[in-house]
């Protein structure tokens, strides 16, 4: 049985026994994927960092409730989403708290962009602009559609597992992703028409 | 090429680049439905752009911060646990010893209460008996009370004879 155990689940079993090295290994592996989802949900780097920390603390504190039958990635993204939803609810009750939030329409770039690819200066400009437009379009999506789309980027998760995280059926999940993508295509239409996609891809 | 194949290909395009075999199937689909060409191009481009989005900013010491926060949280829980468990600890330790003593105290208190209740009932009955006696109501009965109380011990017969 343990031979077929998901490596993350095996680490979680060790965390259950209080093994902090195993916990650190999980933090190391999941910090970026969790941060990616949290940051694009909250749109505030500092709050996202705090909340991502809470996600991992929650993982440790809830380790005794973890069932090996559940895939770890599904479990941690569920925790991350629940904490994000709590934060969004808290913001809606105390709107003044999020005044310092960086909006997509601010003059400043959303953050320092660390390109995965190296682009020549004009391409980099185009790519940077495209990224900003995509980030802004993502921000406009309803929470569930955005989360579905962001989780779809994670290779770790199948459609079934994304459905588990969102707490809805497989068909509903695919429908959420489809609608999110349709909205993005609609919002980014000018770039599609000018062929900027292709230019940036080259 | 049915709708299910198209849907399958589309859902694959949402996540990754198509394999050569999948690409062949897509080309076959598009040759039959050229109007879908642009849509699939856009889907592919969108997936690629989403994948190219840079990672969210993350401090290099994030893991260390999490571990430090965990240490603090565990220390706080331990302190709270120690304070909260103080009474619980003493109760668990002494409860088995205190149980018989507590039971004895309860039984003793109940017994004492019963004894007092019985004693009061008896006293009330005695008083009632005295006042129910027709002679008791008369002051003459107590006329020689002080004299009789100071007499050396006498039998009832002697006392009766003396009174008569």
């Amino acid at each position: 049985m343990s031979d077929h155990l998901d490596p993350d689940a095996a680490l979680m079993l060790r965390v259950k026994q209080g093994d902090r090295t195993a916990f650190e290994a999980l933090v190391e592996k999941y910090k970026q994927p969790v941060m990616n989802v949290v940051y694009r949900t909250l749109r505030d780097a500092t709050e996202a960092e705090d909340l991502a920390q809470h996600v991992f603390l929650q993982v440790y504190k809830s380790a005794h409730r973890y069932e090996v039958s559940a895939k770890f990635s599904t479990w941690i993204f569920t925790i991350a989403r629940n904490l994000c939803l709590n934060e969004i609810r808290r913001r809606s009750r105390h709107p003044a708290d999020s005044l310092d939030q960086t909006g997509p329409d601010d003059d400043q770039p959303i953050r320092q962009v660390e390109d995965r690819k190296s682009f020549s200066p004009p391409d980099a400009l185009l790519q940077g602009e495209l990224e900003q437009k995509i980030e802004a379009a993502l921000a406009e999506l309803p929470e569930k559609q955005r989360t579905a789309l962001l989780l779809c980027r994670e290779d770790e998760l199948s459609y079934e597992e994304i459905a588990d995280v969102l707490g809805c059926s497989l068909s509903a999940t695919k429908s959420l992703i489809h609608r999110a993508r349709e909205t993005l295509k609609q919002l980014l239409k000018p770039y599609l028409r000018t062929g900027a996609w292709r230019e940036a891809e080259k | 090429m049915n709708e299910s194949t198209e849907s399958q290909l589309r859902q694959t395009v949402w996540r990754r680049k198509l394999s050569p075999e999948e690409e062949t199937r897509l080309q076959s689909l598009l040759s039959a439905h050229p109007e879908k060409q642009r849509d699939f191009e856009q889907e592919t481009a969108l997936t690629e752009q989403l994948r190219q989005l840079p990672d969210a900013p993350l401090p290099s010491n994030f893991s260390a911060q999490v571990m430090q926060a965990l240490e603090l949280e565990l220390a706080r829980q331990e302190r709270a646990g120690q304070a909260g468990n103080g009474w619980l600890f003493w109760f668990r330790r002494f409860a088995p010893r205190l149980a018989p003593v507590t039971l004895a105290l309860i039984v003793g208190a109940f017994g004492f209460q019963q004894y007092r209740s019985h004693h009061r009932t008896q006293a009330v009955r005695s008083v009632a008996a005295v006042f129910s006696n027709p002679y008791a109501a008369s002051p003459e009965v107590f006329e020689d009370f002080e004299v009789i109380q100071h007499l050396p011990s006498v039998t009832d017969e002697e006392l009766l004879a003396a009174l008569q």
Side-chain angles (χ1 to χ4, degrees), chain A residues 20 40 116 157 159 197, chain B residues 11 15 49 51 54 71:
Chain A
R20 293 186 198 176
R40 291 198 165 93
R116 283 182 189 167
L157 296 170
Y159 284 116
W197 296 102
Chain B
Q11 284 167 28
R15 307 208 73 176
Q49 287 302 315
R51 294 193 80 82
E71 295 293 338

Side-chain angles (χ1 to χ4, degrees), chain A:
Chain A
M1 176 80 183
S2 61
D3 291 345
H4 302 97
L5 200 61
D6 167 35
D8 297 338
L11 284 172
M12 263 315 278
L13 286 181
R14 284 169 54 194
V15 174
K16 261 182 162 181
Q17 310 297 321
D19 185 341
R20 293 186 198 176
T21 318
F23 177 66
E24 203 167 359
L26 286 171
V27 174
E28 205 54 45
K29 181 175 177 185
Y30 281 95
K31 61 183 182 184
Q32 193 64 67
V34 166
M35 186 65 178
N36 285 345
V37 172
V38 171
Y39 173 74
R40 291 198 165 93
T41 305
L42 299 183
R43 314 282 301 159
D44 181 287
T46 312
E47 281 185 15
E49 193 184 319
D50 285 348
L51 198 130
Q53 268 194 29
H54 279 292
V55 170
F56 289 104
L57 289 182
Q58 195 63 44
V59 164
Y60 191 90
K61 285 195 275 186
S62 311
H64 63 281
R65 286 206 301 267
Y66 175 72
E67 299 288 338
V68 183
S69 54
K71 200 175 166 191
F72 178 75
S73 51
T74 311
W75 194 60
I76 193 171
F77 281 117
T78 307
I79 291 176
R81 178 171 183 251
N82 288 340
L83 289 180
C84 282
L85 289 177
N86 288 346
E87 178 59 22
I88 290 167
R89 280 188 213 110
R90 191 190 66 78
R91 277 183 184 180
S92 66
R93 284 197 301 270
H94 309 282
D97 291 357
S98 53
L99 280 177
D100 56 350
Q101 174 185 350
T102 307
D105 298 330
D106 290 352
D107 292 338
Q108 296 295 318
I110 293 169
R111 63 183 178 283
Q112 290 293 316
V113 176
E114 189 183 327
D115 293 333
R116 283 182 189 167
K117 285 182 177 178
S118 58
F119 296 98
S120 59
D123 287 348
L125 274 176
L126 184 59
Q127 183 64 20
E129 190 184 341
L130 256 176
E131 279 170 11
Q132 283 189 34
K133 293 291 173 190
I134 296 171
E135 294 282 7
L138 276 172
E140 284 188 31
L141 292 175
E143 183 276 329
K144 223 169 185 176
Q145 286 184 27
R146 181 175 52 240
T147 308
L149 199 60
L150 291 173
L151 292 177
C152 198
R153 286 178 75 219
E154 300 299 328
D155 297 330
E156 290 266 339
L157 296 170
S158 65
Y159 284 116
E160 286 82 0
E161 286 158 355
I162 296 171
D164 282 346
V165 173
L166 296 174
C168 51
S169 69
L170 181 60
S171 56
T173 302
K174 286 178 181 173
S175 167
L176 282 170
I177 296 169
H178 174 72
R179 278 185 283 153
R181 291 180 69 96
E182 287 303 311
T183 308
L184 285 191
K185 284 193 283 184
Q186 208 55 33
L187 289 170
L188 301 165
K189 215 171 201 171
Y191 289 86
L192 298 174
R193 278 192 188 139
T194 57
W197 296 102
R198 289 192 173 281
E199 289 302 316
E201 269 180 72
K202 280 177 189 170

Side-chain angles (χ1 to χ4, degrees), chain B residues 42-53:
Chain B
Q42 287 183 357
E43 291 281 21
T44 309
L46 181 59
T47 302
E48 190 55 32
Q49 287 302 315
L50 285 171
R51 294 193 80 82
Q52 279 185 12
L53 279 178

